[in-house]
Amino acid sequence: KQEVTQIPAALSVPEGENLVLNCSFTDSAIYNLQWFRQDPGKGLTSLLLIQSSQREQTSGRLNASLDKSSGRSTLYIAASQPGDSATYLCAVKGMNGGNTPLVFGKGTRLSVIA
Amino acid sequence: DGGITQSPKYLFRKEGQNVTLSCEQNLNHDAMYWYRQDPGQGLRLIYYSQIVNDFQKGDIAEGYSVSREKKESFPLTVTSAQKNPTAFYLCASSLSGRTDTQYFGPGTRLTVL
Protein backbone atom coordinates (compact mmCIF):
# COMPACT_ATOMS: atom_id res chain seq x y z
CA LYS A 1 0.00 0.00 0.00
CA GLN A 2 1.33 3.42 -0.98
CA GLU A 3 2.51 5.61 1.90
CA VAL A 4 3.48 9.25 1.61
CA THR A 5 5.68 10.95 4.21
CA GLN A 6 6.46 14.64 4.55
CA ILE A 7 9.36 15.92 6.62
CA PRO A 8 9.50 18.17 8.53
CA ALA A 9 5.99 18.39 9.97
CA ALA A 10 6.54 22.07 10.71
CA LEU A 11 9.10 24.65 9.63
CA SER A 12 9.70 28.27 10.61
CA VAL A 13 12.00 30.51 8.56
CA PRO A 14 12.79 34.22 8.34
CA GLU A 15 11.48 36.18 5.39
CA GLY A 16 13.69 36.05 2.30
CA GLU A 17 15.15 32.63 2.98
CA ASN A 18 15.11 29.89 0.35
CA LEU A 19 13.66 26.62 1.63
CA VAL A 20 13.01 23.02 0.66
CA LEU A 21 10.10 20.82 1.64
CA ASN A 22 10.47 17.08 1.31
CA CYS A 23 8.07 14.34 0.27
CA SER A 24 8.81 10.61 0.00
CA PHE A 25 6.64 7.75 -1.21
CA THR A 26 7.01 3.99 -0.92
CA ASP A 27 5.76 2.74 -4.31
CA SER A 28 7.45 4.23 -7.38
CA ALA A 29 4.68 3.07 -9.75
CA ILE A 30 2.95 6.44 -10.01
CA TYR A 31 1.22 8.47 -12.71
CA ASN A 32 2.05 11.80 -11.14
CA LEU A 33 2.81 13.74 -7.98
CA GLN A 34 1.02 16.90 -6.99
CA TRP A 35 1.89 19.65 -4.51
CA PHE A 36 -0.91 21.58 -2.82
CA ARG A 37 -1.17 24.55 -0.50
CA GLN A 38 -3.79 24.77 2.26
CA ASP A 39 -4.53 27.87 4.30
CA PRO A 40 -6.18 27.39 7.72
CA GLY A 41 -9.83 26.38 7.40
CA LYS A 42 -9.71 26.44 3.61
CA GLY A 43 -9.64 23.99 0.75
CA LEU A 44 -6.53 22.91 -1.14
CA THR A 45 -4.98 24.90 -3.96
CA SER A 46 -2.96 23.01 -6.55
CA LEU A 47 0.55 24.41 -6.94
CA LEU A 48 2.38 22.04 -9.26
CA LEU A 49 1.75 18.68 -10.89
CA ILE A 50 4.64 16.56 -12.11
CA GLN A 51 3.89 13.67 -14.45
CA SER A 52 5.92 10.50 -13.91
CA SER A 53 7.91 11.15 -17.09
CA GLN A 54 8.97 14.62 -15.91
CA ARG A 55 11.83 15.59 -13.60
CA GLU A 56 10.63 19.01 -12.48
CA GLN A 57 8.04 21.74 -12.82
CA THR A 58 8.34 25.45 -12.10
CA SER A 59 5.82 28.15 -11.32
CA GLY A 60 7.11 31.55 -10.28
CA ARG A 61 9.16 31.15 -7.10
CA LEU A 62 8.22 27.49 -6.78
CA ASN A 63 10.14 24.56 -8.22
CA ALA A 64 9.16 20.94 -7.69
CA SER A 65 11.38 18.02 -8.55
CA LEU A 66 10.62 14.33 -8.85
CA ASP A 67 12.97 11.36 -8.53
CA LYS A 68 10.60 8.49 -9.12
CA SER A 69 13.18 5.73 -8.74
CA SER A 70 14.13 6.86 -5.24
CA GLY A 71 10.58 7.77 -4.27
CA ARG A 72 11.32 11.41 -3.51
CA SER A 73 10.06 14.86 -4.40
CA THR A 74 11.09 18.29 -3.19
CA LEU A 75 9.32 21.62 -3.30
CA TYR A 76 11.74 24.54 -3.43
CA ILE A 77 10.47 27.99 -2.47
CA ALA A 78 12.73 30.88 -3.35
CA ALA A 79 12.85 34.17 -1.44
CA SER A 80 10.12 33.20 1.00
CA GLN A 81 7.46 35.74 2.00
CA PRO A 82 5.02 35.89 4.95
CA GLY A 83 2.23 35.19 2.46
CA ASP A 84 3.80 31.78 1.83
CA SER A 85 2.81 30.72 5.35
CA ALA A 86 0.47 27.73 4.96
CA THR A 87 0.44 23.95 5.07
CA TYR A 88 1.94 22.27 2.02
CA LEU A 89 0.77 18.78 1.08
CA CYS A 90 2.08 16.39 -1.50
CA ALA A 91 0.03 13.60 -3.04
CA VAL A 92 0.80 10.78 -5.44
CA LYS A 93 -1.43 9.01 -7.93
CA GLY A 94 -0.55 5.34 -8.18
CA MET A 95 -0.63 3.16 -11.26
CA ASN A 96 -1.54 -0.10 -9.60
CA GLY A 97 -5.07 -1.44 -9.63
CA GLY A 98 -6.60 0.77 -12.30
CA ASN A 99 -7.69 4.31 -11.53
CA THR A 100 -6.39 4.75 -8.01
CA PRO A 101 -7.11 8.02 -6.22
CA LEU A 102 -4.51 10.33 -4.73
CA VAL A 103 -2.64 9.33 -1.57
CA PHE A 104 -1.72 12.32 0.59
CA GLY A 105 1.04 13.05 3.05
CA LYS A 106 0.19 14.78 6.33
CA GLY A 107 1.73 18.04 5.22
CA THR A 108 4.41 20.48 6.30
CA ARG A 109 3.20 23.58 8.16
CA LEU A 110 5.34 26.52 7.04
CA SER A 111 5.65 29.81 8.90
CA VAL A 112 7.58 32.65 7.29
CA ILE A 113 8.46 35.30 9.84
CA ALA A 114 8.66 38.95 8.75
CA ASP B 1 -16.79 31.79 -12.48
CA GLY B 2 -15.79 28.16 -12.91
CA GLY B 3 -15.08 26.13 -9.83
CA ILE B 4 -16.27 23.85 -7.08
CA THR B 5 -18.74 24.94 -4.45
CA GLN B 6 -19.53 23.23 -1.17
CA SER B 7 -22.37 24.02 1.16
CA PRO B 8 -22.90 24.68 3.92
CA LYS B 9 -19.57 26.04 5.19
CA TYR B 10 -20.43 24.98 8.75
CA LEU B 11 -22.84 22.22 9.76
CA PHE B 12 -23.95 21.02 13.15
CA ARG B 13 -25.44 17.59 13.67
CA LYS B 14 -27.17 16.05 16.63
CA GLU B 15 -26.49 12.49 17.64
CA GLY B 16 -28.48 10.04 15.49
CA GLN B 17 -29.12 12.45 12.63
CA ASN B 18 -28.23 12.01 9.00
CA VAL B 19 -26.87 15.10 7.24
CA THR B 20 -26.05 15.76 3.60
CA LEU B 21 -23.13 17.85 2.37
CA SER B 22 -23.45 19.43 -1.04
CA CYS B 23 -20.74 19.54 -3.72
CA GLU B 24 -21.28 21.12 -7.13
CA GLN B 25 -18.82 21.79 -9.97
CA ASN B 26 -19.19 23.63 -13.26
CA LEU B 27 -15.82 22.58 -14.66
CA ASN B 28 -17.32 19.79 -16.78
CA HIS B 29 -15.14 17.30 -14.89
CA ASP B 30 -15.90 13.61 -15.05
CA ALA B 31 -14.33 12.55 -11.76
CA MET B 32 -15.34 13.74 -8.29
CA TYR B 33 -14.04 12.88 -4.82
CA TRP B 34 -14.86 13.26 -1.13
CA TYR B 35 -12.11 13.48 1.49
CA ARG B 36 -12.13 13.80 5.25
CA GLN B 37 -9.45 15.79 7.09
CA ASP B 38 -8.81 15.55 10.82
CA PRO B 39 -6.36 17.75 12.78
CA GLY B 40 -2.76 16.69 12.18
CA GLN B 41 -3.84 14.11 9.62
CA GLY B 42 -3.58 13.96 5.88
CA LEU B 43 -6.64 13.71 3.70
CA ARG B 44 -8.42 10.36 3.69
CA LEU B 45 -10.61 9.31 0.79
CA ILE B 46 -14.25 8.51 1.55
CA TYR B 47 -15.80 7.93 -1.89
CA TYR B 48 -14.99 8.77 -5.48
CA SER B 49 -16.87 8.73 -8.77
CA GLN B 50 -15.33 8.53 -12.22
CA ILE B 51 -18.57 8.92 -14.15
CA VAL B 52 -22.26 9.60 -13.64
CA ASN B 53 -24.18 6.79 -11.90
CA ASP B 54 -20.97 5.11 -10.77
CA PHE B 55 -18.92 5.46 -7.57
CA GLN B 56 -16.40 3.49 -5.52
CA LYS B 57 -15.60 3.27 -1.82
CA GLY B 58 -12.42 4.83 -0.57
CA ASP B 59 -10.45 3.98 2.55
CA ILE B 60 -13.05 5.12 5.10
CA ALA B 61 -16.49 4.68 3.47
CA GLU B 62 -18.24 3.14 6.50
CA GLY B 63 -21.02 5.39 7.78
CA TYR B 64 -21.14 7.48 4.60
CA SER B 65 -23.16 7.30 1.38
CA VAL B 66 -23.04 9.16 -1.94
CA SER B 67 -24.93 9.50 -5.20
CA ARG B 68 -23.90 10.72 -8.66
CA GLU B 69 -27.08 11.34 -10.61
CA LYS B 70 -25.70 14.39 -12.41
CA LYS B 71 -22.22 15.11 -13.73
CA GLU B 72 -21.95 18.36 -11.79
CA SER B 73 -23.19 17.11 -8.42
CA PHE B 74 -21.78 14.63 -5.87
CA PRO B 75 -23.56 14.92 -2.50
CA LEU B 76 -22.24 13.13 0.59
CA THR B 77 -24.55 11.87 3.34
CA VAL B 78 -23.08 11.33 6.78
CA THR B 79 -25.29 8.75 8.43
CA SER B 80 -25.88 8.00 12.11
CA ALA B 81 -23.70 4.92 11.63
CA GLN B 82 -20.62 7.16 11.40
CA LYS B 83 -19.49 7.20 15.03
CA ASN B 84 -17.03 10.07 14.87
CA PRO B 85 -18.17 12.43 12.12
CA THR B 86 -16.72 15.68 13.46
CA ALA B 87 -14.17 16.70 10.80
CA PHE B 88 -13.44 18.96 7.84
CA TYR B 89 -14.88 17.55 4.60
CA LEU B 90 -13.38 18.40 1.22
CA CYS B 91 -14.81 17.74 -2.22
CA ALA B 92 -12.61 17.65 -5.32
CA SER B 93 -12.93 17.04 -9.04
CA SER B 94 -10.68 16.29 -12.00
CA LEU B 95 -11.15 16.20 -15.74
CA SER B 96 -10.53 12.49 -15.84
CA GLY B 97 -9.30 10.10 -13.18
CA ARG B 98 -5.80 9.28 -14.28
CA THR B 99 -3.38 12.09 -14.84
CA ASP B 100 -5.18 15.34 -14.27
CA THR B 101 -4.92 17.93 -11.54
CA GLN B 102 -7.49 17.70 -8.77
CA TYR B 103 -9.32 20.90 -7.88
CA PHE B 104 -10.75 21.33 -4.42
CA GLY B 105 -13.77 23.10 -2.98
CA PRO B 106 -13.59 25.33 0.13
CA GLY B 107 -14.72 22.59 2.51
CA THR B 108 -17.50 21.97 5.04
CA ARG B 109 -16.77 21.77 8.75
CA LEU B 110 -19.13 19.29 10.43
CA THR B 111 -19.53 19.29 14.20
CA VAL B 112 -21.56 16.80 16.21
CA LEU B 113 -23.31 18.36 19.19
Side-chain angles (χ1 to χ4, degrees):
Chain A
K1 182 182 176 182
Q2 178 76 268
E3 292 183 4
V4 179
T5 303
Q6 292 186 246
I7 295 173
L11 180 64
S12 183
V13 300
E15 182 178 6
E17 192 163 296
N18 301 327
L19 60 101
V20 174
L21 306 180
N22 296 294
C23 173
S24 62
F25 47 96
T26 55
D27 187 347
S28 61
I30 63 170
Y31 278 116
N32 58 51
L33 182 144
Q34 201 165 351
W35 281 94
F36 294 90
R37 169 185 172 138
Q38 185 177 29
D39 293 292
K42 306 291 186 183
L44 277 64
T45 300
S46 178
L47 297 173
L48 290 163
L49 181 146
I50 310 176
Q51 302 292 354
S52 62
S53 59
Q54 298 173 322
R55 297 282 295 182
E56 64 179 329
Q57 282 285 335
T58 298
S59 176
R61 293 182 294 108
L62 305 180
N63 176 277
S65 68
L66 174 64
D67 184 343
K68 198 173 71 166
S69 60
S70 68
R72 294 176 188 273
S73 176
T74 61
L75 179 66
Y76 175 83
I77 303 177
S80 58
Q81 303 170 359
D84 295 329
S85 298
T87 297
Y88 291 81
L89 298 111
C90 74
V92 298
K93 186 164 186 66
M95 299 180 83
N96 297 323
N99 184 13
T100 57
L102 291 176
V103 177
F104 284 82
K106 294 183 179 181
T108 294
R109 189 172 67 254
L110 173 65
S111 297
V112 180
I113 311 301
Chain B
D1 281 329
I4 303 175
T5 57
Q6 291 185 241
S7 62
K9 186 172 182 179
Y10 299 98
L11 185 58
F12 298 91
R13 191 193 92 169
K14 294 181 180 179
E15 295 279 353
Q17 273 186 336
N18 293 352
V19 292
T20 298
L21 283 60
S22 169
C23 177
E24 304 276 334
Q25 54 97 0
N26 61 4
L27 300 168
N28 201 32
H29 285 174
D30 287 315
M32 297 187 74
Y33 313 82
W34 274 107
Y35 296 91
R36 169 180 172 144
Q37 187 176 36
D38 296 281
Q41 301 291 319
L43 276 68
R44 292 184 290 168
L45 182 69
I46 305 172
Y47 269 97
Y48 64 104
S49 168
Q50 300 178 54
I51 197 168
V52 174
N53 292 323
D54 183 61
F55 48 83
Q56 288 80 40
K57 293 182 179 180
D59 297 325
I60 55 167
E62 185 175 352
Y64 300 97
S65 66
V66 294
S67 63
R68 187 85 187 277
E69 297 176 0
K70 298 186 296 182
K71 187 175 185 178
E72 58 270 23
S73 178
F74 191 40
L76 173 74
T77 296
V78 184
T79 74
S80 57
Q82 170 50 237
K83 297 306 178 188
N84 185 23
T86 294
F88 190 50
Y89 291 86
L90 289 159
C91 178
S93 71
S94 63
L95 186 59
S96 70
R98 288 190 176 270
T99 59
D100 297 294
T101 300
Q102 282 194 17
Y103 296 89
F104 281 77
T108 293
R109 185 165 299 280
L110 173 63
T111 303
V112 174
L113 302 175

